Amino acid sequence: MTLLSSPVLEMANLDVIPDREAEFEVAFVQAVRLIASIPGCQGHVLRRCVENPLRYLMLIGWERLEDHTKGFRNSPEYLEWSVLLHPYYDPFPVVEHYEVVCGENGAPV
């Protein structure tokens, strides 16, 4: 299974405080180890925006929405995640979840 074929895809645009991008990237590498340990997490990717280098796109695949909203957010790992990453955001990101409507071959799922 690939990240894009996960039943639920978490998406967030992360706007980072100027001149803190390198620190954020180091912290993110530490933080993803936490989320990867949560049952239901199916992978992640962080991409940096070409047009706006202060913006990052974070995608995390989940088996179920509740694996993120209840399993991760109610865990001790989430508290560590918050300490590592939340100081870098301005503004605080909006997190959204998406489900598959159409697969890679164009067929309805």
Side-chain angles (χ1 to χ4, degrees), residues 1 9 15 19 28-29 37 40 48 53-54 56 61 70 86 93 106:
M1 175 171 288
L9 189 61
D15 292 316
D19 300 320
F28 191 87
V29 169
S37 71
R48 191 172 186 175
L54 296 176
Y56 294 80
K70 293 186 177 150
H86 290 185

Side-chain angles (χ1 to χ4, degrees), residues 1-108:
M1 175 171 288
T2 67
L3 179 66
L4 291 179
S5 63
S6 295
V8 175
L9 189 61
E10 172 190 354
M11 191 232 47
N13 284 313
L14 310 174
D15 292 316
V16 174
I17 297 167
D19 300 320
R20 302 209 54 204
E21 306 93 74
E23 292 172 60
F24 167 73
E25 291 176 15
V26 169
F28 191 87
V29 169
Q30 296 173 359
V32 293
R33 293 183 185 127
L34 299 167
I35 204 163
S37 71
I38 300 297
C41 180
Q42 298 186 328
H44 65 275
V45 66
L46 180 70
R47 296 199 174 211
R48 191 172 186 175
C49 182
V50 175
E51 294 84 7
N52 177 359
L54 296 176
R55 177 168 287 167
Y56 294 80
L57 171 66
M58 180 187 72
L59 299 173
I60 301 175
W62 296 99
E63 286 181 32
R64 302 172 312 126
L65 177 63
E66 295 78 14
D67 292 331
H68 178 226
T69 59
K70 293 186 177 150
F72 179 57
R73 288 196 180 152
N74 291 327
S75 71
E77 288 84 358
Y78 179 73
L79 295 176
E80 290 182 61
W81 171 279
S82 300
V83 169
L84 284 168
L85 296 180
H86 290 185
Y88 295 101
Y89 305 144
D90 185 29
F92 196 80
V94 173
V95 175
E96 297 177 312
H97 300 88
Y98 294 84
E99 61 188 356
V100 178
V101 174
C102 177
E104 291 180 25
N105 63 3

